[in-house]
Amino acid sequence: MITFTPLSGAAGTIRTVPLAYLLQVDDVRILLDCGSPDWCPESFSEEDEGDAPPSWEKYCDALKECAPSVDLVLLSHGDLSHSGLYPYAHAHWGLTAPAYTTLPVQAMARIAATEDVEGIRDEQPVEDTVVVSSGSASPQDPASPSADKATPRPSSPTPSTSRSGKHKYVATLQEVHDAFDSVNVLRYSQPCHLQGKCQGLTIIPFNAGHTLGGTIWKIRSPSAGTILYAVDMNHMRERHLDGTVLIRQASAGGGVFESLARPDLLITDAERANVTTARRKDRDAALLDCVTATLSSRNSLLLPCDSSTRVLELLVLLDQHWNYSRLKYPICLLSRTGREMLTFVRSMMEWLGGTISKEDVGEDGTGHGGRDRRRRDEDNDDEALGAFALRFRHLEFFPNPQSLTQTYLTKEPKLILAVPATLSHGPSRSLFAQFAEIPDNVVLLTGRSEPGTLGRHLFDMWNNSQREEAKWDRGRIGSNIMMDGVLRLEMHSKVPLQGAELEEFLAKERAAKEKEAAQQAALARTQRMLEADEGQSDSDSDSNSDEEDDDEENEVERTLGEDLMDTTEDLKRSREGPNASSRSGTKRKRGESGGDAADWAVDAEDGVTRISFDIYLKGHVAKATSFFKSAEGQTQRFRMFPYVEKKRKVDEYGETVDVGMWLRKGRVLEEDAEDEEAKEARRRKEEEEAKKTPREPPSKFVTTVAEVQLACRLFFVDLEGLNDGRAVKTIVPQVNPRKMILIHAPKPATDSLIESCANIRAMTKEIYAPAQGEVVQIGQQTNSFSISLSDELLASIKMSRFEDNEVGYVAGRVSSLATSTVPVLVPVSSAALQTHNATPEPAKARMLGSRPRQPLPQSTMIGELKLTVLKARLVQVGVQAELVGEGVLICGAAAKRGASAEALQDSVAVRKTARGRVELEGPVSDIYYKVRKEVYALHALVAA
């Protein structure tokens, strides 16, 4: 039985991202994608700013609940909407099940998540920081134009609220690397047979297009059949990618790829089922014309983009245009991970396609090795060992807007690609606040972004300003518009602490360090005492030699020497009275500087517990007054030995060994054995590493409300690289699944695709469109059992080959052996089998001389007959064949043109009917037997 639950990205909803779905095949729970929402929605997108829960709360709660029970994770694309939340769920929610994807998706998802978490943590406080209000402005004061939120670092792990009290599940940089390091990578068309609880399942990735390494997942189950998970596909060939393999190109004969045809269940998206996209040639020309015209008029363009996937198509398009038109304007990419992303892509030439030729790969290329070597040497580009189409000589990288401002003046014409594409945070938002106020500048959008973000708000503004026939989903290119009005934006930033705030933070930091040092010293001292006590006990049990006793007495004296002095001072102070407090305090400070034992007297408010004195020591007897009177009227005070009782742990093998103690002693011995040169070299190395990673200055997060006067132009060109409605409605019927689930689509698109499939007679009627959290059950609960075949039975089976499998018919009797826990199937005689299978029938009168009716064994034919393949095989054996009408193949003399009516006597018609039936119609002749032989040869015949 198959159970499907959309955690996010369901059908019939406005919010189609992120994507995350729970698929249960029998007892195996599979998580399909694990995307993250945009954590910084705009305030004008919220219906109720104060009380409305965040849009991602229901999704995150559902994922947190089911994450520990997930058995398998499959990631299809490397952007945030498919893989962004995986690091946090892996680190905090127990999503530690085996994860699989392709190598490019693993790297691109790591880059996208790194860019996202660094951008958010560099501007806003997340759950592991403490927010302290500072300044006169208050977030609760509606009359205040701005609000400051100061977050000193390093911060304590106290949870905080964001600007609207919404919890953001943002991972750390280390969690991102740890999560994607644990992901298993596969190649396209590489079957992976799973083990453990998932044993029996086979997963195979196929090319989906749209992004580098984008995947269609084929899941084969022995009980549920074949499941196809295909979302965000693109059948068109792009500049850096080939189209999906689901539908073959016209040059290859068209049609659906055989391995992906007719699945038992197809899970696909219908987001663009009612969208008509303009031709790619027209869209590219519109974008390049807008870029050229703006730069020629000495203005600049801001192009928001993602950090890892679709930005590659933009860079290749712009680089080709720059080379062809010989433009000298700079292309600036504002991204922390831009260089890392391009370095990886250059090493993944086997995953690229489109117009990037695999022959143009540097020295190893064929035909142009010397010229390519000279080009690389002239440019002094050591990283350009990949395709020369990916060198991007006009591209410059900037980690933040400040570095861009220092390099180029605001008035200089330039093309700026800034992340993220949603303009919700990071460089793109910071630049937009300054960029939009300059007249004739252009903000160029290439995607619609997630609902509720600034990018989606700008897209809606542009789309609502277009004529009805020029809207984005009508198949035409719109025109740019002039923005006006005032837009209020919340701007987040992190600024260093100054003045009194800095002094207060440094004082707290010093106090925390001193407290931590005191605690560490007390713990280390206690550990040394325990080790000394253990050594003393071992030596007492082994030998009682005087030499060992002397050594341990010296150890005790060294450990307690200073404390004995402190005790003596206490006695003197009690005799001399309160006037001697200053002198005794001075001597105590000397004792602290001379030895570590004085640290035992740390005040209780510092978190260190005083050590009690349990054993009396002879000598140094002091007399002091006491409230309780003795027989002599005075009491005697004795020195006491600080004793810490250590309970020995014993198991079935004896006393347990303290591995930590031996490791510590080993490190001490290694340090003592090192010479001065080695110690000096290690110290210099630590200093160099400290210089490479300078300590971040204490800082705070500041939130201000900026009023942006819109004066620039706005233009939209669709470069998302996804199938439109015409492609979706053509591909899905050709795949022809037995059952289908629609996801990741708004309600109009969902209804449009369902209506289109309903008009096709051969298309399945079992189409589901579940809402978020709705459970869909397909099929019946099946029970599978393991059985072993005996050697005698295996020898009698006649196997028939079908595709990559061998199929045979077996009949036997189940028996149990004492030597095995698995039941064994043993052969049984045909007479006994017929008697067992025979059904009781009422006795009928028999005619005199007639024989009893004998049941004949039935054979099964496995496979799907294709008349075009049958025609080709018949031509090879010398039988003329011709397709006539729909699903009819005429074989023999009647297939020739101008054949007479007599030719029908030596001809056979092969007809395919519904439900997989094949009919041969014609007289019994040599042609009939030849055609029947070839039909049998195209099937796997399983004889009973």
Side-chain angles (χ1 to χ4, degrees):
M1 184 176 67
I2 299 174
T3 304
F4 183 82
T5 308
L7 305 180
S8 178
T13 178
I14 299 177
R15 294 186 177 273
T16 59
V17 290
L19 284 75
Y21 311 98
L22 185 63
L23 174 68
Q24 182 169 346
V25 181
D26 294 335
D27 295 332
V28 180
R29 294 164 67 87
I30 306 173
L31 181 64
L32 304 174
D33 286 330
C34 186
S36 65
D38 191 285
W39 303 112
C40 309
E42 295 299 321
S43 57
F44 52 76
S45 66
E46 300 295 334
E47 298 176 359
D48 186 357
E49 180 68 18
D51 301 330
S55 58
W56 58 79
E57 182 177 3
K58 184 178 179 181
Y59 160 50
C60 292
D61 290 344
L63 181 59
K64 185 191 305 183
E65 181 181 355
C66 69
S69 61
V70 170
D71 303 309
L72 179 66
V73 180
L74 301 179
L75 304 178
S76 58
H77 293 275
D79 53 3
L80 293 175
S81 61
H82 294 82
S83 311
L85 196 56
Y86 177 70
Y88 191 92
H90 179 272
H92 298 273
W93 295 342
L95 187 62
T96 56
Y100 290 86
T101 188
T102 58
L103 180 60
V105 169
Q106 180 200 33
M108 293 302 179
R110 186 202 307 267
I111 291 172
T114 300
E115 182 75 39
D116 187 55
V117 301
E118 285 187 343
I120 294 178
R121 287 180 174 271
D122 198 40
E123 293 184 357
Q124 302 179 33
V126 289
E127 73 280 358
D128 56 351
T129 58
V130 181
V131 177
V132 181
S133 300
S134 67
S136 57
S138 173
Q140 291 81 13
D141 186 5
S144 175
S146 63
D148 290 349
K149 297 182 181 179
T151 308
R153 292 200 177 189
S155 56
S156 58
T158 304
S160 66
T161 58
S162 62
R163 67 190 182 202
S164 56
K166 298 175 181 178
H167 188 72
K168 301 172 183 176
Y169 303 99
V170 182
T172 63
L173 190 59
Q174 186 61 40
E175 291 170 354
V176 171
H177 289 290
D178 292 343
F180 288 110
D181 285 342
S182 67
V183 175
N184 305 286
V185 295
L186 300 173
R187 299 186 303 273
Y188 282 151
S189 303
Q190 175 188 352
C192 178
H193 305 283
L194 303 178
Q195 301 297 327
K197 187 177 180 181
C198 303
Q199 187 171 5
L201 291 182
T202 302
I203 55 175
I204 310 174
F206 292 93
N207 181 21
H210 177 56
T211 63
L212 185 63
T215 304
I216 295 173
W217 286 106
K218 180 180 180 180
I219 307 170
R220 288 198 296 196
S221 168
S223 59
T226 302
I227 302 172
L228 209 61
Y229 176 65
V231 294
D232 289 343
M233 299 178 295
N234 186 14
H235 72 289
M236 297 294 295
R237 185 185 185 192
E238 297 187 275
R239 282 176 169 78
H240 78 293
L241 289 176
D242 291 328
T244 177
V245 299
L246 183 60
I247 190 77
R248 293 180 296 190
Q249 300 295 328
S251 58
V256 177
F257 189 48
E258 289 84 357
S259 299
L260 302 178
R262 194 65 175 163
D264 294 284
L265 174 63
L266 172 65
I267 305 172
T268 188
D269 63 320
E271 185 180 17
R272 289 172 166 247
N274 60 345
V275 174
T276 302
T277 307
R279 294 188 307 170
R280 197 189 77 173
K281 180 180 178 181
D282 297 337
R283 289 182 278 127
D284 293 348
L287 184 140
L288 296 177
D289 290 345
C290 176
V291 170
T292 306
T294 304
L295 294 176
S296 301
S297 60
R298 309 297 297 176
N299 294 299
S300 300
L301 296 98
L302 174 60
L303 203 159
C305 62
D306 66 290
S307 59
S308 62
T309 52
R310 295 304 303 172
V311 67
L312 285 172
E313 182 71 11
L314 289 172
L315 291 177
V316 174
L317 172 63
L318 295 172
D319 186 70
Q320 292 178 356
H321 179 63
W322 251 246
N323 292 332
Y324 179 78
S325 302
R326 299 185 181 276
L327 300 178
K328 301 299 181 182
Y329 305 105
I331 303 177
C332 307
L333 177 60
L334 266 72
S335 172
R336 295 179 177 85
T337 58
R339 290 185 184 274
E340 179 185 355
M341 181 266 296
L342 287 182
T343 301
F344 173 79
V345 171
R346 291 189 184 109
S347 66
M348 290 287 105
M349 286 303 302
E350 66 272 18
W351 298 87
L352 296 172
T355 59
I356 298 179
S357 173
K358 293 180 175 58
E359 296 178 358
D360 192 14
V361 292
E363 289 185 11
D364 296 332
T366 58
H368 304 288
R371 184 183 63 186
D372 294 341
R373 192 184 305 112
R374 286 194 300 271
R375 285 173 57 186
R376 189 178 65 251
D377 293 340
E378 291 172 1
D379 294 341
N380 294 324
D381 190 358
D382 294 332
E383 294 182 354
L385 296 178
F388 283 104
L390 297 175
R391 300 184 73 180
F392 306 125
R393 291 178 294 176
H394 307 280
L395 184 64
E396 300 181 29
F397 300 93
F398 298 93
N400 49 56
Q402 291 77 17
S403 59
L404 175 64
T405 307
Q406 294 173 1
T407 306
Y408 293 104
L409 298 176
T410 307
K411 297 181 180 179
E412 292 186 58
K414 52 189 172 293
L415 173 59
I416 306 172
L417 286 81
V419 297
T422 58
L423 296 128
S424 57
H425 64 276
S428 60
R429 186 182 185 89
S430 177
L431 280 176
F432 175 79
Q434 308 168 8
F435 197 86
E437 296 180 346
I438 303 176
D440 294 330
N441 277 357
V442 176
V443 176
L444 184 56
L445 303 177
T446 57
R448 294 181 300 156
S449 300
E450 182 179 341
T453 60
L454 178 58
R456 187 57 170 263
H457 176 73
L458 295 177
F459 167 77
D460 293 338
M461 184 187 303
W462 175 87
N463 195 41
N464 295 334
S465 302
Q466 303 297 313
R467 300 189 307 273
E468 188 64 30
E469 64 274 8
K471 292 186 180 296
W472 81 281
D473 56 350
R474 296 293 189 268
R476 295 188 180 183
I477 305 296
S479 58
N480 60 37
I481 63 171
M482 178 68 72
M483 291 193 294
D484 56 359
V486 177
L487 188 62
R488 293 174 59 87
L489 298 178
E490 286 190 4
M491 307 301 297
H492 303 274
S493 60
K494 184 170 65 174
V495 297
L497 295 178
Q498 296 178 354
E501 292 179 340
L502 180 60
E503 294 178 359
E504 180 183 359
F505 171 75
L506 293 177
K508 291 182 179 179
E509 190 178 37
R510 283 194 299 269
K513 286 183 178 180
E514 292 174 358
K515 181 179 179 180
E516 183 179 1
Q519 292 176 352
Q520 294 295 333
L523 292 175
R525 194 165 303 104
T526 304
Q527 187 65 35
R528 286 199 301 270
M529 292 174 57
L530 293 175
E531 293 174 4
D533 178 66
E534 182 176 0
Q536 180 181 1
S537 301
D538 294 341
S539 61
D540 289 342
S541 61
D542 295 340
S543 65
N544 296 323
S545 62
D546 296 336
E547 184 177 350
E548 293 180 357
D549 293 341
D550 293 340
D551 293 340
E552 290 168 9
E553 288 177 5
N554 294 336
E555 175 71 20
V556 173
E557 290 178 0
R558 284 195 301 269
T559 307
L560 304 177
E562 296 301 330
D563 193 69
L564 293 176
M565 183 181 69
D566 292 342
T567 309
T568 305
E569 295 300 329
D570 292 340
L571 293 175
K572 290 182 179 180
R573 188 165 57 251
S574 63
R575 294 176 183 176
E576 297 174 2
N579 297 329
S581 59
S582 60
R583 287 178 293 171
S584 62
T586 305
K587 293 182 179 180
R588 175 176 295 275
K589 290 181 180 179
R590 289 179 189 169
E592 290 176 357
S593 63
D596 293 338
D599 290 338
W600 293 343
V602 178
D603 291 339
E605 4 177 286
D606 290 339
V608 179
T609 307
R610 292 180 180 272
I611 297 178
S612 61
F613 292 73
D614 299 334
I615 301 178
Y616 291 99
L617 296 178
K618 295 181 180 180
H620 299 285
V621 179
K623 294 183 179 181
T625 58
S626 175
F627 178 79
F628 299 100
K629 302 233 182 228
S630 63
E632 301 178 359
Q634 290 183 344
T635 59
Q636 294 181 342
R637 295 181 59 179
F638 293 92
R639 288 188 169 280
M640 305 177 74
F641 181 86
Y643 174 72
V644 179
E645 181 182 3
K646 180 178 183 298
K647 296 182 179 179
R648 300 180 181 274
K649 296 181 180 179
V650 180
D651 56 12
E652 58 270 19
Y653 298 101
E655 184 179 353
T656 58
V657 179
D658 188 357
V659 180
M661 181 189 69
W662 292 105
L663 292 176
R664 287 191 296 272
K665 288 184 177 179
R667 282 194 295 267
V668 171
L669 293 176
E670 290 177 359
E671 293 177 359
D672 293 342
E674 286 184 353
D675 54 1
E676 294 298 329
E677 295 181 358
K679 293 181 180 179
E680 184 67 21
R682 185 175 60 181
R683 186 181 60 79
R684 286 197 302 266
K685 184 178 179 181
E686 293 176 355
E687 291 178 357
E688 291 176 359
E689 291 179 354
K691 292 179 180 178
K692 289 181 181 179
T693 56
R695 181 176 178 270
E696 183 180 1
S699 56
K700 65 177 180 179
F701 294 107
V702 177
T703 300
T704 59
V705 178
E707 294 186 355
V708 180
Q709 181 66 43
L710 301 177
C712 66
R713 293 186 172 274
L714 180 64
F715 190 42
F716 171 79
V717 178
D718 184 13
L719 290 181
E720 292 184 357
L722 294 170
N723 287 335
D724 64 351
R726 293 172 298 184
V728 171
K729 294 175 182 177
T730 302
I731 294 174
V732 169
Q734 292 188 36
V735 176
N736 195 17
R738 291 178 172 85
K739 297 178 180 64
M740 186 167 65
I741 296 178
L742 298 181
I743 54 174
H744 184 43
K747 184 170 179 55
T750 305
D751 297 340
S752 176
L753 184 57
I754 293 178
E755 182 181 357
S756 174
C757 294
N759 296 330
I760 302 175
R761 184 173 57 182
M763 189 67 187
T764 178
K765 306 304 178 185
E766 296 187 54
I767 302 177
Y768 306 91
Q772 183 177 3
E774 181 182 352
V775 179
V776 174
Q777 292 185 353
I778 298 175
Q780 300 292 331
Q781 179 68 34
T782 59
N783 297 319
S784 59
F785 303 93
S786 298
I787 194 169
S788 177
L789 302 182
S790 64
D791 296 338
E792 185 181 358
L793 188 63
L794 282 174
S796 63
I797 298 176
K798 297 179 180 179
M799 306 297 293
S800 299
R801 190 167 189 82
F802 175 69
E803 292 182 355
D804 298 333
N805 306 310
E806 291 187 352
V807 186
Y809 179 83
V810 62
R813 178 173 53 85
V814 179
S815 63
S816 300
L817 300 179
T819 58
S820 175
T821 58
V822 179
V824 180
L825 191 66
V826 298
V828 64
S829 62
S830 59
L833 185 63
Q834 292 176 9
T835 304
H836 178 73
N837 293 335
T839 55
E841 296 181 357
K844 295 183 179 180
R846 280 176 49 190
M847 295 180 61
L848 184 62
S850 64
R851 296 180 180 179
R853 182 179 300 174
Q854 296 290 338
L856 296 177
Q858 293 185 354
S859 299
T860 303
M861 300 179 68
I862 301 176
E864 182 179 1
L865 178 64
K866 294 186 177 181
L867 297 181
T868 55
V869 178
L870 177 61
K871 176 184 175 182
R873 293 181 65 98
L874 291 175
V875 171
Q876 292 178 359
V877 298
V879 177
Q880 186 73 21
E882 195 68 35
L883 287 169
V884 179
E886 182 179 356
V888 179
L889 180 68
I890 301 297
C891 310
K896 299 179 181 179
R897 292 185 179 180
S900 60
E902 297 178 356
L904 295 176
Q905 299 298 325
D906 199 18
S907 301
V908 175
V910 183
R911 182 181 293 105
K912 288 180 64 175
T913 61
R915 300 185 179 277
R917 296 180 62 87
V918 179
E919 296 180 356
L920 269 69
E921 182 180 352
V924 178
S925 60
D926 294 340
I927 298 295
Y928 174 82
Y929 287 108
K930 288 183 179 179
V931 173
R932 190 183 69 170
K933 180 181 179 181
E934 295 301 327
V935 170
Y936 286 171
L938 292 174
H939 292 77
L941 183 62
V942 181

